Amino acid sequence: MVVYIDLIFLANLFIDAVLLMVTAWMRKIRPVWWRLMTSAGIGAMYVVMMFVPELSFLFTFLIKLALSVIMLLVAFGFSSMQKYLRTMGAFYMINFVAAGGILGMHYFLQNTGELFNGIWYTASGGMSFELKIAFWFILCAFGGVMLFFRIVQSSKQRTERMSGFLGQVQVWIGQDHIECTGLLDTGNQLYDPLTRTPVMVMEAALWESHLPASWLRKCSEGNADQLVMELGDESFSWQDRVRLVPYRGINRNHSFMLALKPDRVEVVMNGVHFVHHRVLIGLDGGTLSAEGKYRAIIHPDVTAQEEGSADTNQKQDAHIGEHFTESG
């Protein structure tokens, strides 16, 4: 049997470097590249040592644990025991994910004959499995598993970040009210230019049972100004509450948005209850969230302090992204 030590070293150097980089990304650490590569080199050299018979005593549990401790110290240093243990936990979790993913892909691609040919029975009646995985398969599968892991983790982190800016919204007009989940967006600077009333945006589909039948279609087409001109042609109990608000969208095009004047808006966010009476509800004809996580954009003024409402210290101070801005 011919063993190419150089290929084994380079492959393990690559794998260890990727594992350490993913660990740094997961723990939000900015590693120094030469420290990371030195740590990966230590891990790769350890694998090469397994081909030296005199060093077989190194391949024990305690030595392996000590090696991982040294690798993490070299790669990321030591600031506190708590941070170090969290980094070690993330490092082992990523290793187990990578190993389990490679093994799972190997068995997933095997046929029945190959699977049973790798099973054999011992003299004592026990069962053993013979595992043969090609070198290039390990590298390709490892890259795919790490990429998939990063995509899943990124999606999870985005969801966790967004959840802090989601709140339950209730809009009251007379005895009617609409409920939905809203996203607080401090980049939303949309106001009625005449009264300086903040405008909170909601999907027009939420008001389907309260609006004339033709309005949803024209809202989705961006013809809100035509709807105001047609108010006299179709009876509508909320005609005196209708406003037309100019705005500039993300693409910087100027347009008009149909808005309603509610009696009050209630928002519950992070356990804090906000009530606002001076606000307009802009109707958007599309879908605000492709995943359906929210159906309204909460104006930052709605979560500001009002007399008898929540403390201003509870106001969120983060920018999610500019959805709508006031038309200049």
Side-chain angles (χ1 to χ4, degrees):
M1 181 178 65
V2 180
V3 178
Y4 296 93
I5 300 294
D6 54 346
L7 287 180
I8 293 175
F9 175 81
L10 291 175
N12 281 275
L13 180 70
F14 168 75
I15 291 174
D16 289 340
V18 172
L19 291 172
L20 290 168
M21 284 190 291
V22 175
T23 301
W25 169 79
M26 189 173 179
R27 294 284 298 129
K28 296 180 174 58
I29 300 173
R30 289 188 177 182
V32 180
W33 69 268
W34 64 265
R35 296 189 63 168
L36 190 143
M37 292 306 299
T38 302
S39 177
I42 294 173
M45 283 299 300
Y46 178 76
V47 175
V48 172
M49 291 177 186
M50 67 185 301
F51 297 100
V52 181
E54 293 79 4
L55 299 177
S56 58
F57 68 92
L58 294 176
F59 297 92
T60 61
F61 170 77
L62 291 178
I63 298 296
K64 292 177 182 178
L65 180 62
L67 179 72
S68 64
V69 170
I70 294 172
M71 288 179 63
L72 293 176
L73 286 174
V74 172
F76 308 120
F78 182 87
S79 58
S80 70
M81 182 58 69
Q82 185 180 34
K83 291 183 179 179
Y84 180 80
L85 291 177
R86 288 179 178 175
T87 302
M88 177 174 283
F91 179 69
Y92 274 108
M93 185 189 75
I94 293 168
N95 273 270
F96 295 151
V97 168
I102 293 172
L103 189 61
M105 290 181 65
H106 170 70
Y107 279 109
F108 181 77
L109 296 175
Q110 275 190 319
N111 56 44
T112 306
E114 292 174 330
L115 180 62
F116 281 101
N117 286 335
I119 300 176
W120 53 283
Y121 293 90
T122 64
S124 60
M127 181 184 294
S128 298
F129 296 88
E130 185 178 0
L131 183 62
K132 293 182 180 180
I133 304 180
F135 173 78
W136 293 111
F137 177 85
I138 292 176
L139 287 182
C140 294
F142 173 78
V145 169
M146 287 293 95
L147 179 61
F148 181 73
F149 175 79
R150 179 156 184 171
I151 292 173
V152 171
Q153 283 295 117
S154 296
S155 177
K156 178 184 176 182
Q157 290 175 2
R158 284 195 301 269
T159 302
E160 290 175 348
R161 286 195 300 268
M162 182 181 293
S163 63
F165 301 99
L166 295 177
Q168 293 303 311
V169 178
Q170 283 192 356
V171 180
W172 291 83
I173 298 181
Q175 299 300 316
D176 299 316
H177 74 283
I178 299 295
E179 297 183 24
C180 70
T181 300
L183 174 70
L184 174 64
D185 181 6
T186 57
N188 179 6
Q189 298 299 317
L190 182 58
Y191 293 89
D192 177 32
L194 297 178
T195 63
R196 300 303 299 170
T197 303
V199 180
M200 194 177 83
V201 182
M202 296 181 69
E203 293 180 7
L206 290 167
W207 300 84
E208 183 177 6
S209 60
H210 302 279
L211 299 177
S214 61
W215 283 37
L216 290 178
R217 176 176 53 83
K218 291 188 177 180
C219 277
S220 62
E221 294 172 355
N223 299 323
D225 51 341
Q226 297 181 12
L227 290 174
V228 174
M229 292 169 32
E230 298 172 1
L231 278 176
D233 301 332
E234 192 168 1
S235 61
F236 182 42
S237 59
W238 293 345
Q239 289 187 9
D240 58 334
R241 297 178 179 269
V242 176
R243 305 289 187 273
L244 196 62
V245 179
Y247 75 96
R248 186 175 65 248
I250 296 177
N251 57 7
R252 300 299 176 185
N253 291 333
H254 292 267
S255 186
F256 290 92
M257 175 179 293
L258 192 70
L260 299 174
K261 178 66 177 73
D263 293 320
R264 71 179 185 277
V265 172
E266 300 180 13
V267 176
V268 178
M269 179 173 292
N270 298 325
V272 184
H273 187 212
F274 301 93
V275 180
H276 212 287
H277 297 275
R278 187 175 178 271
V279 63
L280 295 177
I281 304 298
L283 302 180
D284 185 272
T287 301
L288 296 176
S289 170
E291 299 175 349
K293 292 182 178 179
Y294 57 91
R295 303 188 70 181
I297 303 297
I298 304 172
H299 197 283
D301 286 2
V302 175
T303 57
Q305 183 184 27
E306 270 195 350
E307 185 177 353
S309 95
D311 185 22
T312 52
N313 290 332
Q314 299 293 337
K315 180 179 177 181
Q316 299 293 335
D317 186 20
H319 178 71
I320 302 298
E322 186 182 52
H323 284 64
F324 302 94
T325 60
E326 180 183 358
S327 174

